[in-house]
Amino acid sequence: MGLHTEGASAATETSAQGESALHSIDFRQIPEQLTFNTEEGLIWHNDRRMVLMHADSIGALREEIIESYGMEEARALLTRFGYSAGSRDAELALRLYKDQATTYDLVFSGGKFHALQGIAVVEMIKSEIDAEKGVCNLEFSWRNCFEDHAHVQAYGIGEDVACWIETGYASGFLSVCMGKRVLVREVECRAQGYDACRLLAQPVDEWGDVDSDLRYYDALHWKIDRAKGGGETAGSPARSSSGSIVGPDNHSVVKFIGASVPFNILMHKVSRVAPTAATVLLLGESGVGKSALAKEIQQLSSRSQGPFLELNCAAIPEQLVESELFGAEKGAFTGAVSRREGRFEAADGGTLFLDEVGTLSMTAQGKLLRAIQSGEFEPLGSSQSRRVDVRIIAATNEDLWSLVQEGKFRQDLYYRLNVFPVVIPPLRKRRDDIPVLIEHLMKKYMARHDKAISGIGSRALQLIMNHSWPGNIRELENVIERGVILADEGRPLSHRHLFTIDGSLQGDSLMSLNRKGALMEHGALVSESGVDGEINIEVEALHAWSEGIVERENLTLDDIENSLVTAAYHHAGGNASKAAMKLGMTRAQFAYRAKKLNLRS
């Protein structure tokens, strides 16, 4: 969030620098990204579809949510809704301005988004911004806020603040811009009788007591807290402000954190299934955190004091899987010089997590099926059955049903495991969680490697936010750990610390020659300081082409754009999605232009 400063300290970037930052980028790009397609009933802001609605209708929906679920539950839902919207606008700002913008610019742009969307006018009272030092201390006000107006109309002046959506929005926007979790608190609201709404923003770890605020952002924490009547019961696991589970000894034992809508939907499902004894099947790509979520389910269950054992089925040779699962008697096979306890027996009274369950052999699958169905098994080399009470959580990144159809996985076992399937979304579909994860991982690896890193640079944050993360959270962990190791003591994490030899995070460490024969950084439009950077070969060629085009007479911008659309359409073989991707457009935007040009495959 943030807008024009009024007699304020401009930023940690220095007062003069803060003032110049207000004019360092063209904020007209924000409204210019808004497109109305009345023929197709579509409104786009950049690549995001928008909907124009009456403020009174939103107010009526807000009132119905309050009346249906109560004031506190409504506040939690609307705060998370706002957080999601703010995070998405911040991602758009990062894409729009790329290397042009300082962190102060990005923060300033939040108010522009707010105003464009008719939410409120933001006025900065004082600001101290420096992402590289992890500094974000803001005081600002809102005028003409639609939400407090709707609240006062419905409930009159009261004792509590009412700008829940906007507060969530500001927290989400600032968290993405800073690369760490920032909490915005509304300390004065028009719904309380003040002339304007006044807000304060700081990183979560600087606020002190934040649990009363963060519970509105965390669906699972909210459910637990509400179920307990607002307090914690003795012996039950509670959530820390970071989103981890805190055990009876006050030590964090699980780290499955997030703040996005997909994360909260996921945690709603976890809160439903965790207290039961049902078998859970965790599905998702490699690296999404299936093991961490399995531990989360264990900690929230009645078995939290029991054992939790993991077995990676893919890491155990086929001939040893049976003995790993069910144990072996002395002399059961060559080398079995003593009785060995299996995972099922060791996990009695607790939870057994079977990762990569799709790799089990058909023989092992049959024995696993019996153990799940009856709770009984026979150790290898024994004819005596043993009974255990074990909850099964299985996980796989494969399509088990496809394996069933191919005859590689037992159908009866599939149905036993698929009692409560939980799909964990990939990181690219929960980008709102990335700032929270960055902050957590930086703290984790600074402690592990005894390093003090001040914050994160804007280029590094842009790379992280825009990367597709095929390796998901595991890949992000590796990138942050590498960055912490390479970063200088007391300095911020730079984009140069994130590059890998295989190019998994594309950076500008590769060098090439420009048309003048000078050495330049390949793929970078400007240097890290944002000035005097060398333009790469492709961009220089584009500039040369553009100069030749504008020398021609009677050639309009529409002619050039229509030519590009037609060329992309034919180059993609009539596939509108591929053509749109080539031009950096949404499919709907491309289809609208193609329709005007009467393009047919």
Side-chain angles (χ1 to χ4, degrees):
M1 287 294 345
L3 289 134
H4 43 277
T5 47
E6 297 183 345
S9 60
T12 302
E13 295 168 343
T14 76
S15 179
Q17 190 175 356
E19 285 296 323
S20 64
L22 297 179
H23 308 287
S24 62
I25 59 176
D26 186 0
F27 289 109
R28 289 178 298 180
Q29 292 183 57
I30 295 175
E32 286 173 357
Q33 295 290 319
L34 193 62
T35 304
F36 289 82
N37 182 349
T38 54
E39 293 182 16
E40 300 294 332
L42 299 171
I43 304 174
W44 295 93
H45 193 218
N46 193 260
D47 61 347
R48 300 279 171 84
R49 184 174 178 179
M50 309 290 288
V51 178
L52 186 63
M53 296 185 67
H54 294 288
D56 288 344
S57 298
I58 300 175
L61 175 62
R62 183 181 186 277
E63 185 177 351
E64 186 166 344
I65 293 174
I66 291 173
E67 296 302 322
S68 299
Y69 299 103
M71 198 73 74
E72 286 292 280
E73 188 81 22
R75 179 175 180 176
L77 289 169
L78 294 172
T79 299
R80 293 197 294 271
F81 169 72
Y83 187 96
S84 174
S87 299
R88 280 158 174 72
D89 279 351
E91 290 173 30
L92 175 56
L94 285 170
R95 291 204 309 274
L96 280 178
Y97 301 121
K98 297 181 181 177
D99 300 321
Q100 309 170 51
T102 64
T103 306
Y104 194 83
D105 289 324
L106 294 173
V107 168
F108 184 88
S109 71
K112 300 296 185 183
F113 282 100
H114 241 38
L116 174 67
Q117 295 162 8
I119 295 173
V121 174
V122 187
E123 295 178 346
M124 191 67 73
I125 299 171
K126 61 181 180 181
S127 61
E128 191 179 5
I129 298 285
D130 193 332
E132 296 189 350
K133 294 181 180 179
V135 175
C136 179
N137 294 302
L138 303 175
E139 181 179 352
F140 53 94
S141 65
W142 287 330
R143 287 190 298 104
N144 301 328
C145 177
F146 92 93
E147 192 175 12
D148 57 29
H149 176 73
H151 191 89
V152 170
Q153 279 192 321
Y155 301 102
I157 300 296
E159 297 181 355
D160 298 320
V161 299
C163 299
W164 307 328
I165 297 174
E166 289 86 340
T167 304
Y169 180 101
S171 296
F173 196 96
L174 287 172
S175 294
V176 171
C177 290
M178 294 296 299
K180 64 187 302 183
R181 192 149 196 188
V182 176
L183 176 66
V184 176
R185 276 180 174 166
E186 187 177 17
V187 293
E188 294 177 0
C189 183
R190 287 200 306 171
Q192 296 173 307
Y194 292 97
D195 293 334
C197 302
R198 187 169 67 90
L199 301 102
L200 303 176
Q202 287 188 119
V204 165
D205 53 9
E206 294 181 18
W207 272 112
D209 178 21
V210 293
D211 283 347
S212 60
D213 295 275
L214 288 185
R215 66 188 188 131
Y216 296 117
Y217 295 87
D218 185 342
L220 182 57
H221 185 188
W222 176 256
K223 277 182 169 289
I224 294 172
D225 194 52
R226 295 293 288 172
K228 295 175 181 177
E232 305 294 347
T233 57
S236 299
R239 278 190 168 262
S240 72
S241 60
S242 66
S244 63
I245 299 295
V246 179
D249 58 355
N250 205 33
H251 291 292
S252 293
V253 292
V254 175
K255 289 289 183 183
F256 196 84
I257 60 177
S260 67
V261 170
F263 173 84
N264 279 307
I265 291 173
L266 174 66
M267 300 317 289
H268 274 299
K269 294 180 180 178
V270 167
S271 70
R272 293 294 185 110
V273 73
T276 72
T279 299
V280 180
L281 179 61
L282 303 180
L283 305 169
E285 298 176 6
S286 178
V288 293
K290 293 187 284 291
S291 177
L293 189 60
K295 294 173 183 175
E296 185 101 340
I297 293 171
Q298 156 80 354
Q299 289 296 323
L300 293 172
S301 73
S302 59
R303 300 169 181 262
S304 59
Q305 303 303 315
F308 177 88
L309 275 74
E310 295 185 54
L311 178 64
N312 188 330
C313 301
I316 307 297
E318 182 178 341
Q319 59 271 26
L320 296 179
V321 168
E322 189 175 344
S323 64
E324 284 288 336
L325 285 172
F326 308 114
E329 296 295 331
K330 179 179 179 180
F333 53 85
T334 303
V337 296
S338 61
R339 180 182 179 275
R340 180 179 181 181
E341 187 179 62
R343 302 298 176 96
F344 262 91
E345 190 173 353
D348 191 16
T351 303
L352 177 59
F353 174 53
L354 301 176
D355 199 5
E356 303 295 350
V357 70
T359 63
L360 286 174
S361 67
M362 297 299 284
T363 302
Q365 289 176 35
K367 296 194 174 184
L368 176 60
L369 174 63
R370 182 198 172 199
I372 295 175
Q373 285 184 152
S374 64
E376 295 182 352
F377 67 93
E378 295 175 1
L380 201 63
S382 173
S383 59
Q384 184 177 359
S385 294
R386 295 182 184 168
R387 176 175 288 275
V388 291
D389 175 22
V390 175
R391 182 184 193 173
I392 298 296
I393 301 177
T396 181
N397 58 12
E398 298 184 74
D399 185 346
L400 283 187
W401 183 245
S402 294
L403 294 181
V404 170
Q405 293 177 316
E406 294 170 10
K408 297 179 181 178
F409 199 83
R410 293 182 60 126
Q411 186 173 11
D412 46 6
L413 178 58
Y414 170 79
Y415 288 125
R416 282 292 176 183
L417 295 176
N418 199 41
V419 174
F420 196 95
V422 176
V423 179
I424 307 176
L427 189 55
R428 63 182 173 276
K429 292 187 177 180
R430 40 179 290 219
R431 293 182 185 274
D432 301 0
D433 294 333
I434 291 178
V436 186
L437 291 167
I438 291 173
E439 181 180 23
H440 164 65
L441 293 173
M442 285 185 66
K443 289 179 179 178
K444 173 183 175 179
Y445 292 119
M446 282 192 293
R448 176 177 296 182
H449 301 296
D450 195 23
K451 294 282 290 285
I453 308 301
S454 61
I456 184 168
S458 60
R459 286 282 299 280
L461 181 59
Q462 288 162 10
L463 275 174
I464 291 172
M465 291 301 299
N466 294 328
H467 187 54
S468 61
W469 299 110
N472 293 295
I473 296 174
R474 185 181 294 121
E475 182 186 2
L476 178 62
E477 284 185 314
N478 294 341
V479 167
I480 297 300
E481 183 173 18
R482 180 189 310 119
V484 168
I485 292 171
L486 292 175
D488 296 326
E489 186 76 16
R491 299 285 294 169
L493 196 67
S494 165
H495 69 288
R496 299 181 185 276
H497 302 142
L498 307 178
F499 307 138
T500 61
I501 296 174
D502 63 6
S504 61
L505 272 185
Q506 185 179 0
D508 55 7
S509 56
L510 301 178
M511 308 299 288
S512 59
L513 297 177
N514 63 13
R515 289 191 306 166
K516 299 177 182 178
L519 192 66
M520 57 92 184
E521 293 177 337
H522 180 72
L525 298 182
V526 293
S527 64
E528 187 166 10
S529 63
V531 293
D532 300 328
E534 291 287 354
I535 301 175
N536 66 29
I537 294 172
E538 290 184 2
V539 175
E540 287 202 357
L542 180 61
H543 286 176
W545 175 80
S546 301
E547 289 171 2
I549 288 293
V550 296
E551 291 175 359
R552 304 180 63 174
E553 297 181 359
N554 302 321
L555 191 63
T556 67
L557 182 59
D558 280 342
D559 293 331
I560 297 171
E561 290 181 346
N562 291 340
S563 179
L564 286 171
V565 168
T566 303
Y569 183 83
H570 291 306
H571 189 269
N575 187 314
S577 297
K578 290 183 179 179
M581 191 178 300
K582 285 181 176 294
L583 297 180
M585 305 168 67
T586 65
R587 190 189 186 285
Q589 290 170 328
F590 183 88
Y592 173 67
R593 289 178 175 269
K595 183 178 179 181
K596 290 176 63 178
L597 295 171
N598 294 317
L599 295 177
R600 297 289 185 272
S601 56

